């Protein structure tokens, strides 16, 4: 079963087309990553799924129900981790969870039980009675994730959950998200961190300019677009390498060469040439598909 | 447009928690200011103005201050307060990711602030009573539901202005173009029937004028013109429904693109 099924979804704001016909599916029990540069249409797509933004065209089904007809019971099965920190500043950490739970019409005893286990899950137990304004950025993000889980949702939407956090906080959040996956939850994630997407996502949809550029598992995308190894060779590039038919991309000061067998490039590099060699990752795919130019 | 009572109850509980934390600020803002107005004008100006509309000035003033107090409270709550919640902290957006809907949020904002403004009305009447300025206690009690409804009406109107309160300083426009003219030209401080004719016509556009037409006779222990009261109630109800629907549509456009 697909939790989300988007077919040719479009969204325009006046003359500006933010989403120009996006198709993707989020199968139950998987983590799907929606990746793209700033302004690619990711957040608009997330907002459309939550019913916070209407579709200009196309079909979007959530739990097999058209998004504008999602019932209260279905909405209760979705947890949202928004990009911005919109915790309730007038409430304590625990109250932020308990009061939020009351908006779902849940039993008080269930909410309290959930709040206790989520505070522990997100390692916020010691801060339970603090005002949210006194929390660090990492703690706020953890609390927002905990808040999204208060009604024990089946499907969790995470819009850049770790942006701006230190490595320790990111690792803690990754571990929590992997636990949620193990529990059989379905996740839809947007992020600018390719290592995060590679670590968490079963399937990745790369969008840019409001369109899907490609999709597949991280492994599939890497082998399809950049092969296993990448060499970044500073200019001027040796002639032998220039004349070769190796898949490459000019990124200004240097040229990237993509190969499955590193020796294929190595024997064309004379001594004294400056280069770096590494195993290819999703970031290479992302930059290859969306380009190296700054967007904003 | 249907409202969900469980959603509204959950939101009211959340407002109540905030209210308990800030009760001092609410109290001083809502009550003390109005009581000072009442005493200063009643005792100060009251010495110069012997009688107005057949009663002492302070007695004439008491229902006026009571009826007008909600204008300020509701204007601030539905502009500053609302703007903070949907633009500042963006907590409305977090509520909208739950089964809570926009209409529940808007109605809760109005009901909570109406309820919050009610103790200040009671306290004002108690103070006025000690100044011997409440000729009819039963009339004053009867005026409370009228004033609570009036506060909902004031709030529904200023809610429309809250949509556009992008900068806090814009509140000055709302204050200068709506709150103060209504407060000064609806007959709070003087008998509108004695005012120049243009002012009597002008007063008709303000809900506060229509509220005072009912509340003042009640508190002064005079017979209320039932036909007039029914007209006032109908006009205010229509204003409330229209203003609420307009505000809903504007917020919907703003929040749901």
């Amino acid at each position: 079963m697909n939790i989300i099924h988007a077919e040719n979804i479009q969204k325009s704001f006046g003359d500006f087309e933010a989403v120009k016909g996006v198709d993707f599916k989020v199968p139950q029990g998987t983590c799907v990553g929606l990746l793209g540069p700033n302004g690619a249409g990711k957040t608009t797509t997330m907002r459309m799924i939550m019913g916070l933004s209407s579709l200009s065209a196309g079909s979007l089904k959530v739990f097999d129900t058209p998004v504008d007809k999602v019932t209260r019971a279905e909405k209760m099965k979705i947890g949202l981790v928004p990009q911005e920190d919109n915790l309730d500043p007038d409430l304590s950490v625990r109250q932020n969870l308990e009061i939020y739970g009351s908006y779902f019409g849940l039993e008080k005893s269930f909410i309290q039980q959930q709040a206790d286990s989520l505070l522990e899950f997100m390692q916020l137990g010691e801060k339970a009675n603090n005002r949210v304004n006194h929390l660090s950025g990492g703690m706020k993000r953890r609390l927002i994730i905990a808040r999204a889980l208060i009604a024990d949702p089946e499907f969790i939407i995470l819009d850049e959950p770790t942006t701006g956090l230190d490595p320790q906080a990111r690792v803690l959040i990754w571990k929590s998200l992997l636990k949620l996956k193990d529990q059989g939850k379905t996740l839809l994630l947007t992020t600018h961190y390719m290592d995060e997407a590679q670590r968490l996502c079963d399937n990745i949809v790369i969008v840019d300019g409001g369109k899907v550029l490609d999709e597949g598992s991280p492994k599939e995308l890497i082998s399809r677009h950049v092969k296993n190894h990448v060499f970044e060779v500073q200019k001027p590039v040796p002639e032998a390498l220039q004349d070769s038919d190796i898949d490459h991309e000019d990124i200004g000061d240097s040229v990237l060469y993509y190969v499955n067998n590193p020796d294929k490039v190595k024997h064309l590099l004379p001594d004294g040439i400056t280069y770096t060699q590494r195993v290819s990752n999703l970031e290479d795919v992302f930059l290859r598909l969306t380009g190296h130019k700054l967007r904003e | 447009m249907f409202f969900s009572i469980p959603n509204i109850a959950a939101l009211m509980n959340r407002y109540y928690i905030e209210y308990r934390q800030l009760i001092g600020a609410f109290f001083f803002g809502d009550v003390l200011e109005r009581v000072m107005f009442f005493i200063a004008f009643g005792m100060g100006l009251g010495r110069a103005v012997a009688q107005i509309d057949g009663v002492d000035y302070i007695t004439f003033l008491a229902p006026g201050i009571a009826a007008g107090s909600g204008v300020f409270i509701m204007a601030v709550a539905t502009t500053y307060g609302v703007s903070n919640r949907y633009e500042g902290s963006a907590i409305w957006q977090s509520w909208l990711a739950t089964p809570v809907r926009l209409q529940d949020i808007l109605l809760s904002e109005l009901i909570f602030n109406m309820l919050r403004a009610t103790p200040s009305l009671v306290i004002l009447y108690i103070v006025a009573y000690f100044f011997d300025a409440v000729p009819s206690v039963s009339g004053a009690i009867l005026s409370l539901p009228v004033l609570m409804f009036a506060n909902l009406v004031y709030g529904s109107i200023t809610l429309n202005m809250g949509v556009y309160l992008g900068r806090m300083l814009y509140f000055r426009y709302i204050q200068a173009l709506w709150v103060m003219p209504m407060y000064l030209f609806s007959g709070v401080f003087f008998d509108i029937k004695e005012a120049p004719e243009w002012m009597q016509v002008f007063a008709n556009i303000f809900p506060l004028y229509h509220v005072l037409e009912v509340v003042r006779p009640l508190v002064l222990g005079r017979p209320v013109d039932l036909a007039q009261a029914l007209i006032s109630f109908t006009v205010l109800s229509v204003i409330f429904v229209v203003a609420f629907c307009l505000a809903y549509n504007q917020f919907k456009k703003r929040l749901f693109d």
Side-chain angles (χ1 to χ4, degrees):
Chain A
M1 181 200 167
N2 289 316
I3 302 290
I4 298 289
H5 189 177
E7 284 180 297
N8 193 30
I9 57 168
Q10 297 170 37
K11 178 69 190 178
S12 303
F13 299 99
D15 292 338
F16 174 66
E17 290 178 274
V19 180
K20 296 176 186 167
V22 164
D23 297 83
F24 70 95
K25 289 174 188 168
V26 181
Q28 189 170 26
T30 63
C31 175
V32 172
L34 202 57
L35 309 186
N38 285 335
K42 304 184 300 290
T43 298
T44 307
T45 304
M46 297 289 208
R47 285 177 57 80
M48 286 196 277
I49 293 169
M50 285 307 295
L52 297 173
S53 190
S54 56
L55 271 73
S56 302
S59 150
L60 177 60
K61 285 185 179 165
V62 182
F63 294 109
D64 254 350
T65 307
V67 70
D68 55 341
K69 298 197 170 52
V70 166
T71 61
R72 183 186 168 99
E74 284 165 337
K75 203 162 184 189
M76 285 180 68
K77 293 195 279 188
I78 309 174
L80 174 70
V81 177
Q83 212 176 96
E84 69 274 19
D85 285 339
N86 59 10
L87 293 163
D88 198 325
D90 297 308
L91 305 180
S92 70
V93 168
R94 175 179 280 280
Q95 283 173 330
N96 256 283
L97 295 178
E98 292 182 347
I99 298 293
Y100 204 74
S102 72
Y103 302 146
F104 289 86
L106 302 166
E107 289 284 330
K108 210 170 178 184
S109 57
F110 174 79
I111 295 174
Q112 282 171 348
Q113 205 182 322
Q114 275 289 92
D116 285 338
S117 69
L118 288 169
L119 287 170
E120 197 187 335
F121 182 58
M122 284 294 167
Q123 298 184 21
L124 287 166
E126 285 178 14
K127 301 282 177 184
N129 297 318
N130 286 34
R131 290 280 295 277
V132 292
N133 291 344
H134 300 155
L135 299 182
S136 68
M139 287 175 182
K140 281 183 183 168
R141 291 311 289 170
R142 271 145 55 200
L143 180 57
I144 287 177
I145 295 173
R147 188 182 69 176
L149 301 175
I150 192 74
D152 194 21
E154 284 178 31
F155 173 48
I156 303 137
I157 298 177
L158 302 122
D159 197 358
E160 298 188 19
T162 64
T163 297
L165 300 187
D166 63 29
Q168 287 84 352
R170 289 177 67 201
V171 169
L172 182 71
I173 288 179
W174 290 344
K175 277 186 185 167
S176 313
L177 296 181
L178 286 170
K179 272 187 201 160
L180 292 173
K181 260 182 84 175
D182 289 343
Q183 291 167 16
K185 309 274 187 203
T186 308
L187 309 180
L188 175 62
L189 171 84
T190 73
T191 178
H192 286 303
Y193 301 116
M194 297 302 134
D195 52 339
E196 180 167 298
Q198 200 159 351
R199 202 176 281 228
L200 298 172
C201 298
D202 303 299
N203 209 42
I204 281 168
V205 181
I206 298 182
V207 289
D208 194 14
K211 284 188 160 177
V212 174
L213 300 181
D214 199 5
E215 67 174 299
S217 69
K219 262 191 180 171
E220 282 167 1
L221 289 172
I222 289 168
S223 70
R224 199 179 304 155
H225 295 283
V226 291
K227 307 201 171 55
N228 292 337
H229 295 267
V230 58
F231 286 78
E232 183 169 350
V233 183
Q234 292 289 321
K235 285 182 179 175
V237 175
E239 263 181 40
L241 201 54
Q242 275 186 45
D243 295 342
S244 72
D245 60 352
I246 299 169
D247 187 11
H248 65 278
E249 189 180 2
D250 191 329
I251 57 165
D253 293 342
S254 54
V255 179
L256 300 174
Y257 287 89
Y258 305 107
V259 285
N260 283 326
N261 177 8
D263 292 338
K264 208 175 162 187
V265 173
K266 270 186 184 164
H267 84 269
L268 298 173
L269 292 169
D271 290 342
I273 288 288
T274 310
Y275 74 94
T276 53
Q277 180 207 342
R278 56 188 164 76
V279 174
S280 307
N281 57 36
L282 206 55
E283 190 144 339
D284 297 308
V285 177
F286 184 81
L287 289 172
R288 188 132 210 227
L289 287 173
T290 61
H292 287 78
K293 280 191 182 152
L294 202 59
R295 297 308 174 90
E296 287 181 332
Chain B
M1 193 194 306
F2 296 103
F3 298 98
S4 154
I5 292 171
N7 288 354
I8 291 173
L11 290 170
M12 297 294 282
N13 181 41
R14 183 256 166 230
Y15 290 127
Y16 177 63
I17 290 171
E18 182 189 354
Y19 180 76
R20 269 193 333 208
Q21 287 172 8
L22 301 170
I23 196 160
F26 281 127
F27 179 81
F28 279 100
D30 297 350
V31 183
L32 207 59
E33 215 174 276
R34 299 302 112 198
V35 169
M36 285 193 297
F37 256 93
F38 172 69
I39 295 174
F41 278 82
M43 300 295 288
L45 197 62
R47 291 282 167 100
V49 184
Q51 288 242 311
I52 180 168
D53 196 17
V55 291
D56 289 342
Y57 183 69
I58 197 165
T59 308
F60 175 85
L61 188 65
I65 296 281
S69 67
V71 175
F72 286 91
I73 295 172
M74 297 305 285
V76 172
T78 53
T79 54
Y80 271 120
V82 159
S83 185
N84 258 333
R85 283 197 259 278
Y86 91 92
E87 281 200 303
S89 59
I91 49 173
W92 276 19
Q93 283 85 336
S94 76
W95 299 348
L96 289 168
T98 72
V100 166
R101 294 159 308 167
L102 180 59
Q103 61 263 41
D104 302 326
I105 296 176
L106 294 177
L107 192 63
S108 306
E109 289 275 357
L110 292 181
I111 294 177
F112 166 72
N113 287 298
M114 174 269 280
L115 290 175
R116 174 205 129 187
T118 304
S120 69
L121 292 173
V122 176
I123 292 170
L124 192 75
Y125 277 140
I126 292 171
V127 172
Y129 181 79
F130 284 109
F131 280 88
D132 208 13
V134 183
S136 168
V137 173
S138 57
I141 293 168
L142 271 177
S143 77
L144 287 176
V146 178
L147 291 175
M148 288 165 80
F149 176 61
N151 285 347
L152 284 181
V153 178
Y154 305 147
S156 68
I157 295 167
T158 41
L159 203 50
N160 285 276
M161 305 170 190
V163 184
Y164 300 109
L165 198 77
R167 288 178 175 204
M168 291 302 163
L169 267 178
Y170 289 173
F171 184 71
R172 295 281 180 91
Y173 289 116
I174 297 165
Q175 194 170 19
L177 298 173
W178 178 250
V179 175
M180 288 315 285
M182 173 149 73
Y183 198 56
L184 294 174
F185 292 101
S186 293
V188 170
F189 298 100
F190 53 86
D191 187 1
I192 206 85
K193 289 178 203 75
E194 301 294 323
E197 203 174 327
W198 65 266
M199 208 186 279
Q200 292 187 35
V201 176
F202 184 52
N204 270 287
I205 65 169
F206 298 120
L208 177 54
Y209 166 79
H210 299 279
V211 172
L212 266 175
E213 284 293 287
V214 178
V215 167
R216 187 164 272 144
L218 269 177
V219 181
L220 295 182
R222 291 175 182 171
V224 176
D225 181 346
L226 279 179
Q228 178 60 45
L230 200 64
I231 292 169
S232 296
F233 179 72
T234 310
V235 170
L236 291 173
S237 301
V238 170
I239 292 175
F240 174 72
V241 172
V242 171
F244 187 88
C245 291
L246 279 175
Y248 172 78
N249 280 321
Q250 293 189 79
F251 274 111
K252 199 174 166 190
K253 271 187 208 152
R254 191 77 191 256
L255 289 161
F256 295 92
D257 42 63

